[in-house]
Amino acid sequence: HVSFCNVDEKAVVKPEEVAQELAAWPEEKLLAATTGIDRGVAIAACSSNGDRFHFSDIQLQRMSKKDKAKRRWQRRMARRVKGSGGWRKAKRRVARCRQYAKRVRKDFAHKTSCKLVDAENTATRLIVFEDLRIKNMTRRPKAKQDEAGRWLPNQARAKAGLNAKILAGSWGNVQIFAQYKALRAQKLVISVPAHHTSQECSRCGYIHLDNRLSQAEFVCQRCGF
């Protein structure tokens, strides 16, 4: 489906106009002008053209340092009297550490979306993202109990770590920013169902679990692509 968003005054076309133009193209021409984007944890975004987008080593090191500082000030904040001068100071430091990572991720999303759209790259007119339900993907696992009422392990700690990595990748902002920037360049951003996309062969369309040998390796069991 086409995801429409609020477009600023710099946009020269409407998304419906670009969609109608591309819908009239033959399939071979449309495929040649399409770039697919895959978002992940190890690499924040990869394009079908082979480009990879991720935080720099310096950004990762600094965000890790700020995260450690945030936890340190949170511990100090918990030990101080609520409302005191020391408590307010610790609270400001916690907020400052959080803002740094927030600004870095927003900057990354803007720069990545600019490179994906790239107004000078006229060959690409259609940019495709997986329709990921990020809110559902980062939902906390439900608590489990056995018949006797004892609580069972539900992998909450591991899931919390995965959730943090997903949110840290700015998946949502990369797509949102790309939507309005694409319209400035007379391009279109759409979403496609994510179900089985990692197992589907892009050449023959065959879907099977064995197609995905590992996270980095794909071999179609029907056509060998």
Side-chain angles (χ1 to χ4, degrees):
H1 67 273
V2 180
S3 180
F4 300 132
C5 64
N6 294 328
V7 183
D8 60 19
E9 297 177 353
K10 294 183 179 180
V12 294
V13 295
K14 294 181 180 180
E16 296 88 345
E17 295 176 358
V18 183
Q20 290 175 0
E21 177 190 353
L22 297 179
W25 285 16
E27 182 179 357
E28 184 177 349
K29 181 180 178 181
L30 184 60
L31 289 175
T34 301
T35 298
I37 308 300
D38 181 35
R39 289 165 289 182
V41 173
I43 302 294
C46 295
S47 74
S48 56
N49 298 329
D51 297 325
R52 293 187 172 192
F53 307 94
H54 200 58
F55 299 95
S56 67
D57 292 339
I58 294 178
Q59 287 176 325
L60 293 174
Q61 291 173 5
R62 289 179 177 174
M63 284 193 292
S64 177
K65 184 178 180 180
K66 290 291 183 178
D67 186 60
K68 292 178 181 178
K70 180 195 70 175
R71 293 197 298 268
R72 184 171 64 250
W73 282 106
Q74 283 176 330
R75 290 193 296 269
R76 293 182 183 180
M77 184 177 168
R79 292 195 298 265
R80 294 172 181 177
V81 179
K82 187 174 182 180
S84 64
W87 182 87
R88 289 195 296 269
K89 177 182 176 180
K91 185 179 180 180
R92 289 194 299 269
R93 293 297 180 91
V94 170
R96 191 181 302 172
C97 293
R98 285 175 173 165
Q99 283 298 319
Y100 176 81
K102 185 177 180 180
R103 288 194 297 267
V104 170
R105 291 174 184 131
K106 187 175 182 179
D107 177 73
F108 167 79
H110 272 297
K111 290 181 178 178
T112 300
S113 59
C114 281
K115 292 178 181 177
L116 291 176
V117 172
D118 191 6
E120 297 180 357
N121 181 14
T122 56
T124 297
R125 291 293 306 280
L126 184 64
I127 302 171
V128 182
F129 286 85
E130 291 177 305
D131 187 17
L132 301 176
R133 306 297 182 181
I134 300 175
K135 186 175 181 179
N136 294 343
M137 293 173 65
T138 55
R139 185 173 296 168
R140 182 182 303 176
K142 294 182 179 180
K144 300 179 181 179
Q145 287 179 295
D146 59 15
E147 297 177 355
R150 291 183 295 243
W151 296 107
L152 299 174
N154 63 348
Q155 305 298 321
R157 180 173 295 181
K159 187 64 170 63
L162 177 60
N163 292 348
K165 291 180 180 179
I166 291 175
L167 296 174
S170 298
W171 289 3
N173 280 341
V174 169
Q175 182 173 354
I176 292 172
F177 296 164
Q179 287 173 359
Y180 73 83
K181 292 175 184 178
L183 293 176
R184 295 176 180 174
Q186 299 187 6
K187 301 180 181 183
L188 186 66
V189 171
I190 66 172
S191 299
V192 297
H195 195 51
H196 291 314
T197 51
S198 63
Q199 303 170 5
E200 180 180 0
C201 177
S202 60
R203 175 178 292 177
C204 69
Y206 180 67
I207 299 175
H208 198 278
L209 181 63
D210 294 339
N211 287 348
R212 178 65 62 178
L213 302 179
S214 66
Q215 183 181 6
E217 187 176 9
F218 180 96
V219 178
C220 180
Q221 301 302 302
R222 184 167 72 179
C223 72
F225 176 65

